[in-house]
Amino acid sequence: MKFFVDTGNLKEIQNLVPLGIVDGVTTNPSLLAKESGDVRLLLKQICETVQGPVSAEVVATDAAGMVREGRELAAIDRHIVVKVPFTREGVKACRTLTGEGLRVNVTLVFSATQALIAAKVGATYVSPFVGRLDDIATSGMDLIRQIVEIYENYGFTTEVLVASVRHPMHVVEAARMGADVCTCPAAVIEALFKHPLTDIGLERFLKDWETAQASRVTG
Ligand code: E4P
């Protein structure tokens, strides 16, 4: 399973990339609104840092506007994936952009029927939002299971990109279900590393080693 970082913050990405586990980045208008400076330049810097797919979202709401913005975003860097919302207009724009050979991430997906439609218009990625479904007492991960099953049934190549990830169990369940990608906030990626027994074990190894070295010197 690929790990994307769900952020528009360059420093967070620069901090995670050296770990060697970051395959891409997803942004959205809310995330980019938190950052200062020129958005195109920021997206370019993110692409150069991650050297993998970077989703950048259109803000137009009509298909023609989405297509125009999508082409402009894709011209920033070869790593840009155009993100369009799942609406009737977004579906039309997805069809046009993929027809031109651009990669498209269909976002704000909350049902299996939406995911099926996104695959039929050639989306490169579909982004079901698991955390926002959990927020309204509906299982986000059940939706992932359904989409993975449907895509397998028909051999769709659209990748299932688990979005709105809130904690490590979303990541574990996504991996068990065979989702293609999990996009996580930096804090969730950091949490994937943590285990108290690792910390306690390392502390003991180092202490035992230090004690043995000291007794060799004194003995
Ligand atoms: C994914 O592409 C979205 O940007 C993101 O995961 C939304 O997450 P949120 O529900 O935490 O805002």
Side-chain angles (χ1 to χ4, degrees):
M1 187 174 71
K2 285 173 262 190
F3 284 141
F4 288 2
V5 194
D6 197 26
T7 185
N9 187 281
L10 185 60
K11 283 211 173 77
E12 280 185 355
I13 297 163
Q14 287 169 333
N15 181 41
L16 290 170
V17 163
L19 291 170
I21 58 165
V22 175
D23 301 294
V25 166
T26 49
T27 68
N28 64 38
S30 304
L31 290 171
L32 290 176
K34 292 186 202 162
E35 306 303 319
S36 55
D38 181 68
V39 171
R40 290 176 64 91
L41 176 64
L42 175 60
L43 287 168
K44 181 77 184 168
Q45 288 170 324
I46 292 174
C47 288
E48 284 170 356
T49 305
V50 75
Q51 292 293 317
V54 174
S55 289
E57 191 163 338
V58 300
V59 288
T61 53
D62 63 303
M66 289 184 195
V67 168
R68 197 167 43 246
E69 268 183 49
R71 288 177 188 143
E72 284 168 13
L73 288 167
I76 294 173
D77 191 278
R78 69 189 171 93
H79 293 299
I80 292 284
V81 174
V82 180
K83 208 173 182 189
V84 302
F86 185 91
T87 57
R88 287 172 66 93
E89 294 300 295
V91 166
K92 283 193 251 172
C94 177
R95 163 68 85 205
T96 304
L97 291 166
T98 56
E100 293 176 8
L102 298 179
R103 290 178 297 168
V104 177
N105 176 355
V106 176
T107 190
L108 288 170
V109 165
F110 293 95
S111 76
T113 53
Q114 292 177 329
L116 180 56
I117 290 167
K120 284 177 76 71
V121 290
T124 315
Y125 301 100
V126 65
S127 290
F129 279 30
V130 296
R132 293 193 198 185
L133 280 171
D134 291 354
D135 289 344
I136 56 161
T138 303
S139 169
M141 295 316 296
D142 277 355
L143 174 61
I144 301 303
R145 189 180 289 107
Q146 289 173 18
I147 298 172
V148 168
E149 180 187 8
I150 290 167
Y151 284 9
E152 273 174 12
N153 284 348
Y154 296 101
F156 285 123
T157 55
T158 302
E159 294 192 32
V160 180
L161 193 166
V162 181
S164 188
V165 164
R166 301 275 165 81
H167 48 70
M169 275 314 290
H170 278 150
V171 180
V172 172
E173 290 178 49
R176 292 188 68 187
M177 289 172 190
D180 301 282
V181 190
C182 220
T183 188
C184 309
V188 172
I189 293 189
E190 296 294 351
L192 301 179
F193 280 81
K194 294 201 167 62
H195 199 293
L197 291 179
T198 304
D199 299 338
I200 292 166
L202 181 60
E203 197 184 331
R204 188 178 304 162
F205 283 157
L206 295 179
K207 206 167 164 209
D208 288 348
W209 182 254
E210 211 175 277
T211 307
Q213 293 304 104
S215 67
R216 276 198 191 100
V217 172
T218 53

